[in-house]
Amino acid sequence: MSNPLPRHAYFQGKIVPYSEARVGVATHALNYGTAVFGGIRAYWNAEKKRLFIFRPQDHYRRFLNSCRIMRMEFDHTPESLTDLTIELLRADGYQEDIYIRPLAYKADEQIGVRLHNLTDELTIFALPFGLYIKNDTAAHATISSWRRLDDNAIPARGKISGAYASSALIKTDAALAGFDEALVLTQEGHLSEGSAMNVFIVRDGALITPPITENILEGITRRSVIELARAELNLPVIERPIDRSEIYLCEELFLTGTAAQVTAVTRVDHRPVGNGEMGPITAQLRRLFEQVVRAEHPKYTHWNVAV
Ligand code: PMP
């Protein structure tokens, strides 16, 4: 998947043309993965002719927590980062769906693996962005032979750049084997998540997702879907460990993430999920999610921040 380049970036304290946002090859974060990032979407509402950012404060709260894990400090709050993002998007002027990438990184051009005595920098950029998983109504997933990183190795709850080398191994092996995505198990063999998305299954009509102690990223989409399922669909939602064999027996399976949105998985390792077609709960949640993120659902407009 390729995407257009960003127009501007917030870089070294100001908004500059993207071509001016550059780092040297000796940069610590580039060599050691000592960076944390976020991924936020903003949706174009054609009727209101406005861009709406989806839950930016929640994304930035998690982003600042990731910074904390990596011993990075910024004079910022979720609100000030949201304001900065609005300023950036006004400079960009996009009138389409976009993806926003905040990145905090160890900026020193220095050799030596560590977190301390280094300079933290913050950058934000945005670019037009469509579907992340092209086949998002009928994805074919495989169970990865790679295991999920453990909280005592690189905490999944921090969105740490270095950890995504593992996600890249997972994604590429799945893609080159002809699958759309991968499901990843913990060291204990429980279902954890996808390469960059959380996972839900439906069994006996209940929605089940791994708890936050299963080495998952605490997804904002996951949290939104749990709330929507309970409040709008009256579904029981259970957070509990999921065995591998439940993947083969469940009625529905879907992935959630800012990039992946709500992606229906209809086959896992050449076995049909349920009857092999997108199930009714997945379909309803997809419709609801699409309304909510585009600021078209009156009950959830507190999640939409206008640019
Ligand atoms: N898990 C991982 C590993 C991810 O990278 C992402 C994407 N940020 C998610 C889950 C989904 O999180 P969110 O819904 O906040 O985008």
Side-chain angles (χ1 to χ4, degrees):
M1 192 179 69
S2 62
N3 51 255
L5 290 176
R7 292 181 180 166
H8 299 89
Y10 175 79
F11 183 70
Q12 296 179 341
K14 54 183 200 289
I15 291 168
V16 298
Y18 176 69
S19 59
E20 290 173 22
R22 289 286 175 271
V23 298
V25 291
T27 300
H28 201 273
L30 180 61
N31 285 261
Y32 301 120
T34 45
V36 309
F37 64 103
I40 310 170
R41 269 190 194 259
Y43 291 85
W44 180 247
N45 181 315
E47 202 181 306
K48 298 195 173 95
K49 294 203 172 11
R50 272 189 106 161
L51 204 51
F52 289 92
I53 316 173
F54 187 61
R55 302 189 76 168
Q57 287 98 341
D58 294 300
H59 276 281
Y60 280 124
R61 206 163 291 124
R62 182 179 73 195
F63 178 72
L64 290 171
N65 280 339
S66 298
C67 289
R68 234 172 120 178
I69 290 175
M70 293 298 275
R71 304 178 64 105
M72 295 179 176
E73 275 184 43
F74 295 99
D75 267 344
H76 270 294
T77 61
E79 290 72 30
S80 70
L81 289 169
T82 300
D83 290 345
L84 210 52
T85 304
I86 292 172
E87 203 186 320
L88 172 74
L89 295 183
R90 286 188 181 153
D92 282 340
Y94 294 120
Q95 300 195 348
E96 60 195 303
D97 294 353
I98 57 159
Y99 185 85
I100 304 153
R101 166 58 47 81
L103 176 74
Y105 60 101
K106 299 287 182 187
D108 308 71
E109 297 176 274
Q110 271 201 31
I111 300 297
V113 181
R114 64 181 188 280
L115 293 179
H116 60 284
N117 296 340
L118 291 167
T119 316
D120 305 325
E121 287 276 2
L122 170 71
T123 183
I124 311 174
F125 55 85
L127 39 86
F129 203 74
L131 282 183
Y132 181 70
I133 297 177
K134 295 280 172 292
N135 203 9
D136 75 338
T137 56
H140 188 187
T142 183
I143 296 179
S144 184
S145 61
W146 298 96
R147 292 294 166 116
R148 185 69 180 126
L149 280 168
D150 192 83
D151 193 55
N152 289 297
I154 306 180
R157 135 175 326 102
K159 210 168 155 51
I160 299 166
S161 295
Y164 281 76
S166 174
S167 304
L169 290 166
I170 291 162
K171 179 76 185 198
T172 284
D173 282 7
L176 296 185
F179 297 96
D180 300 302
E181 245 309 315
L183 300 170
V184 192
L185 306 178
T186 62
Q187 295 296 336
E188 293 74 34
H190 294 143
L191 179 57
S192 178
E193 55 181 355
S195 67
M197 52 289 285
N198 295 115
V199 61
F200 287 80
I201 64 168
V202 176
R203 283 199 78 188
D204 299 323
L207 207 49
I208 309 171
T209 193
I212 58 169
T213 45
E214 291 279 16
N215 294 314
I216 67 167
L217 182 78
E218 297 173 4
I220 310 299
T221 317
R222 173 184 181 275
R223 206 185 308 160
S224 308
V225 162
I226 290 175
E227 195 170 328
L228 292 171
R230 284 186 175 137
E232 304 303 320
L233 306 183
N234 253 321
L235 282 178
V237 184
I238 306 161
E239 295 178 58
R240 65 149 175 85
I242 297 173
D243 277 341
R244 176 181 190 144
S245 55
E246 295 190 271
I247 298 169
Y248 302 132
L249 299 178
C250 64
E251 293 129 37
E252 301 185 31
L253 193 154
F254 61 86
L255 299 164
T256 65
T258 298
Q261 304 178 105
V262 180
T263 290
V265 175
T266 54
R267 273 184 301 161
V268 177
D269 288 328
H270 305 279
R271 300 160 190 242
V273 174
N275 66 6
E277 283 178 16
M278 187 190 335
I281 292 176
T282 309
Q284 286 179 77
L285 283 168
R286 277 173 60 90
R287 267 198 303 277
L288 204 49
F289 187 75
E290 169 69 15
Q291 282 177 353
V292 166
V293 292
R294 242 172 248 291
E296 288 166 357
H297 196 306
K299 210 167 135 190
Y300 296 94
T301 48
H302 57 286
W303 284 348
N304 312 114
V305 174
V307 172

